[in-house]
Amino acid sequence: MALEKPFISGHFSPVSDEITGHDLKIRGTLPPELNGRYFRNGHNPKPGITPSHWFRGAGMLHGIRLTDGRAEWYRNRWVRTPFLEGVPFTGTELEVSAAATNIIFHGGRYLALQEANLPYEVSAELDTLGVHDFGGKLTSAMTAHPKEDPETGELHFFSYSPFPPHLSYYVADASGDIVRSEIVEGAGPSLMHDFAITREHVVFIDSPVVFDHAEQSGIPYRWHDEVPLRIGVLPRAGGWTTWYEVPDQAALLHVANAYTDARGRIVLEAPRLDRSSWESSWKWWVGAPGYGTSPATGSTLHRWIIDPATGTVTTEAVNDLVTEFPSINDAHTGADYRYSYAIAFPGSGLSGYHTAKFDTRTGRQRLFAHGEGRMPGEAVFAPAEGGTAEDDGYLLTIVSDLEADASELLVLDAGDLSEVAAVELPRRVPAGIHGHWIPDAHQSA
Ligand SMILES: [Fe+2]
């Protein structure tokens, strides 16, 4: 019997159609201040298609519209790209995108992102409008993890490639116009999924996972023991990128946050993967024999402190739970902060999936248990109206419930992780990747 690919089974089983539901049932009381849209992206290959890699499944968006304590609608839509219609991904045609990794709102546009391609613009009702190249100013692929500076509204992002120049850096102003673009010297051909900004610096991650033709899964990258982890620091004011070699070899997939401290040191916090963690996770992503029970294996929250004065990098563990999909209150992007949130995966003493909150100063954790057969997604922070503390707000996540064959948009109190409300969705929503809460206030800004 053929091995069932984990990324199209169980919580990840794709849905076969697009639907719209109105006036959804709510359990508890939905905070009336949550006026906006929760949009989430993920891989959902068409029926009958088994991709060679999780990340080669076509993108489907799921959206829930909240207004005045009501859940006005739910809808799910594929991102209509040539890839969805069967044009194979080659890496050379930038518009042939699965467009499945993330969805952001910037400069008045909703953009579905996948890192090997140009963004796809969709409407506020998730209909595909077309490829977006920033008026011709973006001529290379765009990361799925751009960072919006909460003070300026600028969008910082990068483009990476297995071929030189390996790395380019871009800034779009608050209106979505690219105002800075430059080649970042010194980067290698590594798989660069995420990066960070601080108020003063841009932080790039050059990991041991590098371009390798031998990898036949459709994502040609593999771990190489001879390649160190390097962190590149570029002053936002301009200048050169300085690369710091990290003595402790590791890979980072996602960043929680970074900031420049009072001594001018750059502090970066993220789940850390060693070779075994990376390769176990990858096995799940490609469905190779011996894959584990979940898409993240062994990654734990760490802190890297880069000191430009001494040229050194130190690494320390923050917490030992296996977590991934880190998130924060985005108003603290690039600035000193205290709390990060994540999905805690089964293992390391936990039974079943949890949503975790970390106090990064003490390393202490708080957990919300989702229960048997239930899997949450990334916890997206939505600020409370008039909130003053960093964790005054809510965490939004879509939970897949296999036994009930159903899903809900769960709203947790970001302070104590208690359940506030849940919106019952008209269908089971496959476990997915990244999304955002887009408040109406932001949309009309
Ligand atoms: Fe990601």
Side-chain angles (χ1 to χ4, degrees):
M1 198 177 85
L3 197 68
E4 194 179 34
K5 297 285 185 185
F7 52 81
I8 51 168
S9 61
H11 291 294
F12 295 85
S13 302
V15 294
S16 59
D17 59 357
E18 302 175 322
I19 66 167
T20 305
H22 291 279
D23 295 321
L24 313 175
K25 201 171 154 192
I26 294 163
R27 187 173 76 240
T29 304
L30 200 56
E33 69 206 76
L34 290 177
N35 287 297
R37 288 164 169 79
Y38 172 73
F39 283 177
R40 200 216 70 192
N41 207 339
H43 300 279
N44 194 107
K46 280 182 172 175
I49 294 179
T50 300
S52 57
H53 193 292
W54 187 20
F55 305 155
R56 286 278 172 267
M60 179 180 273
L61 298 163
H62 299 262
I64 297 119
R65 164 84 174 126
L66 305 182
T67 178
D68 300 326
R70 295 180 297 116
E72 197 176 315
W73 52 253
Y74 159 85
R75 60 187 75 208
N76 68 302
R77 300 289 184 271
W78 269 292
V79 187
R80 293 192 151 60
T81 76
F83 180 81
L84 178 72
E85 303 311 328
V87 179
F89 174 83
T90 62
T92 54
E93 303 292 330
L94 288 177
E95 75 279 11
V96 181
S97 179
T101 312
N102 201 353
I103 177 159
I104 64 162
F105 181 78
H106 185 262
R109 299 172 195 276
Y110 296 92
L111 300 175
L113 303 171
Q114 180 137 345
E115 67 201 45
N117 302 89
L118 290 171
Y120 264 81
E121 185 177 359
V122 301
S123 75
E125 277 73 45
L126 301 181
D127 297 316
T128 303
L129 301 176
V131 75
H132 179 62
D133 65 359
F134 293 82
K137 287 187 176 179
L138 181 62
T139 53
S140 54
M142 177 176 173
T143 175
H145 287 289
K147 299 287 179 282
E148 185 174 320
D149 182 316
E151 291 196 326
T152 64
E154 291 170 332
L155 194 71
H156 296 249
F157 57 97
F158 66 91
S159 173
Y160 79 91
S161 167
F163 310 109
H166 295 300
L167 184 61
S168 302
Y169 164 62
Y170 298 87
V171 182
D173 66 16
S175 73
D177 187 29
I178 290 181
V179 292
R180 180 176 176 182
S181 65
E182 61 194 61
I183 290 169
V184 178
E185 302 288 352
S190 77
L191 192 163
M192 203 176 290
H193 183 66
D194 200 350
F195 80 133
I197 57 170
T198 77
R199 293 282 153 85
E200 294 83 11
H201 299 101
V202 189
V203 183
F204 299 106
I205 299 152
D206 199 287
S207 83
V209 180
V210 295
F211 182 63
D212 187 336
H213 281 295
E215 174 62 37
Q216 294 293 310
S217 66
I219 310 279
Y221 288 83
R222 273 190 188 170
W223 186 289
H224 281 242
D225 278 337
E226 74 282 10
V227 178
L229 170 63
R230 295 184 308 143
I231 297 175
V233 176
L234 169 66
R236 279 175 59 173
W240 299 99
T241 300
T242 306
W243 290 92
Y244 299 88
E245 190 168 318
V246 182
D248 160 56
Q249 198 196 29
L252 284 65
L253 192 61
H254 293 119
V255 164
N257 199 13
Y259 56 93
T260 305
D261 73 10
R263 292 164 56 186
R265 302 180 309 174
I266 294 96
V267 181
L268 171 70
E269 294 179 348
R272 171 192 178 277
L273 298 100
D274 61 15
R275 179 171 185 153
S276 159
S277 310
W278 178 269
E279 292 183 340
S280 302
S281 301
W282 188 276
K283 268 188 187 176
W284 191 100
W285 302 346
V286 301
Y291 64 78
T293 53
S294 69
T297 315
S299 50
T300 55
L301 187 61
H302 277 65
R303 177 182 299 125
W304 289 263
I305 302 173
I306 302 113
D307 190 345
T310 60
T312 57
V313 185
T314 55
T315 310
E316 56 197 45
V318 178
N319 183 282
D320 60 5
L321 283 179
V322 174
T323 59
E324 245 297 344
F325 293 89
S327 56
I328 61 164
N329 176 346
D330 289 334
H332 290 256
T333 298
D336 198 1
Y337 79 121
R338 183 159 185 172
Y339 301 111
S340 66
Y341 311 90
I343 303 175
F345 289 83
S348 64
L350 291 183
S351 146
Y353 287 92
H354 292 66
T355 295
K357 175 184 183 180
F358 297 118
D359 181 334
T360 62
R361 288 188 197 158
T362 64
R364 289 180 62 183
Q365 70 204 36
R366 196 183 272 274
L367 294 170
F368 177 88
H370 290 277
E372 212 46 46
R374 289 164 60 88
M375 183 182 179
E378 173 188 58
V380 171
F381 187 91
E385 199 170 73
T388 51
E390 183 187 327
D391 57 351
D392 279 346
Y394 306 96
L395 299 178
L396 310 182
T397 189
I398 292 179
V399 178
S400 157
D401 186 330
L402 277 185
E403 263 175 49
D405 192 28
S407 284
E408 61 190 24
L409 175 68
L410 182 65
V411 181
L412 301 177
D413 184 314
D416 62 6
L417 294 201
S418 61
E419 179 174 330
V420 175
V423 177
E424 294 182 16
L425 303 180
R427 74 172 334 144
R428 187 186 62 78
V429 173
I433 312 283
H434 305 291
H436 279 88
W437 167 248
I438 302 133
D440 289 349
H442 188 158
Q443 195 182 41
S444 57

